[in-house]
Amino acid sequence: MNLKQIVAIFATLAVSSTQAFAAQGGAGGGGGGGGAAKPPPVAGPGNPLPTTAPAPGVIFRESFGPGADGVFSRPQGGSGNLRFVNAGTSLGGFWAEWPGSKSTNWSSPNGAWIFAFASIDPFETLPTPIQPFPFDGIAFSDWADGVVTTFDAIVPFRGAATAYMLSADVFPAFLDGSYVGIGLTGSGALNKNLQVSGQIWLKLSQIAPFDGDAGQYDVMFGNTSLASGTVVLDGFNPVEITVDPAAQTVNVVLNGLNLGTWTTKVSPSFIAIEGQGWADNVVVQTLVP
């Protein structure tokens, strides 16, 4: 059994458990909005989020963990009240892990992107207080109905003055025609955001004949492909998008392969995850010149 099959099994079991815990349900969609990030909250019994960055230069981080050991809850909404998190809880409205504040809410249509648990992501090495072993959280877009969707989960992010890298580990759903995308956008739309308004994003797709192993990548500007090729899909496929505001260039790496550098101006308002499948380990880190 390969890694992606293990991840799929764990993710599917996590979503199925939603029915058993339906009474404790998920948060609704919504949240979002721009503005400068507020100071991080104080951790403690009322807030499990970290009070410091997990590593130097990290300006955004999301592990999709459910909360502290024994207390699976995270701040949600403008007031930051704790909301229970279980497999199947909607991502919408929850504060991002870092910097955790009401200015960095996740937004997603209710149930489109949810919290789920998966096998350990080998690329996720930064420490986190909200992902106690063995609950390796992921963001998950269910495909149980067999319909390919184009919904988004977005979180406010306005870039940085110096060069920075957005990274994530992604996989497209086991569904013919599905894709998962990660990138930067100026739009707050929750459907086809990256397709319409993506300033730079990586699209990872299943391809015909569908076998779950062969995939296609596209480096995208909106709905325009800047580069494409085939890729052997693993359970977690690391994506790195490096933005240099001064040089006005972007560079994209997938599974360690440098896909190229392009000249373009990127002025984001949000990070967006789009499509169907799973995403994990979303990090933005400034780069030393």
Side-chain angles (χ1 to χ4, degrees), residues 27 186 243 267 283:
V243 178
S267 300
V283 176

Side-chain angles (χ1 to χ4, degrees), residues 85-148:
V85 177
N86 66 280
T89 299
S90 179
L91 193 62
F94 280 90
W95 292 12
E97 179 174 349
W98 175 262
S101 80
K102 64 181 181 181
S103 296
T104 52
N105 279 340
W106 283 97
S107 298
S108 184
N110 190 33
W113 281 90
I114 60 177
F115 289 95
F117 305 140
S119 51
I120 302 300
D121 180 350
F123 305 107
E124 189 172 41
T125 58
L126 292 175
T128 173
I130 62 169
Q131 198 164 237
F133 181 83
F135 296 101
D136 198 312
I138 59 172
F140 185 76
S141 180
D142 193 8
W143 58 85
D145 59 4
V147 177
V148 176

Side-chain angles (χ1 to χ4, degrees), residues 142-182:
D142 193 8
W143 58 85
D145 59 4
V147 177
V148 176
T149 66
T150 54
F151 294 117
D152 297 76
I154 65 172
V155 66
F157 175 73
R158 296 189 176 276
T162 59
Y164 60 92
M165 181 175 69
L166 165 65
S167 59
D169 307 326
V170 299
F171 186 86
F174 289 101
L175 186 65
D176 193 7
S178 72
Y179 74 92
V180 65
I182 178 77

Side-chain angles (χ1 to χ4, degrees), residues 160-225:
T162 59
Y164 60 92
M165 181 175 69
L166 165 65
S167 59
D169 307 326
V170 299
F171 186 86
F174 289 101
L175 186 65
D176 193 7
S178 72
Y179 74 92
V180 65
I182 178 77
L184 299 167
T185 176
S187 169
L190 298 180
N191 189 25
K192 299 184 179 180
N193 185 317
L194 291 172
Q195 284 192 35
V196 175
S197 304
Q199 295 177 358
I200 185 70
W201 62 291
L202 191 284
K203 179 180 182 181
L204 192 60
S205 310
Q206 298 282 0
I207 59 175
F210 171 67
D211 62 7
D213 288 312
Q216 176 176 313
Y217 71 81
D218 288 90
V219 178
M220 303 290 291
F221 172 79
N223 204 32
T224 300
S225 177

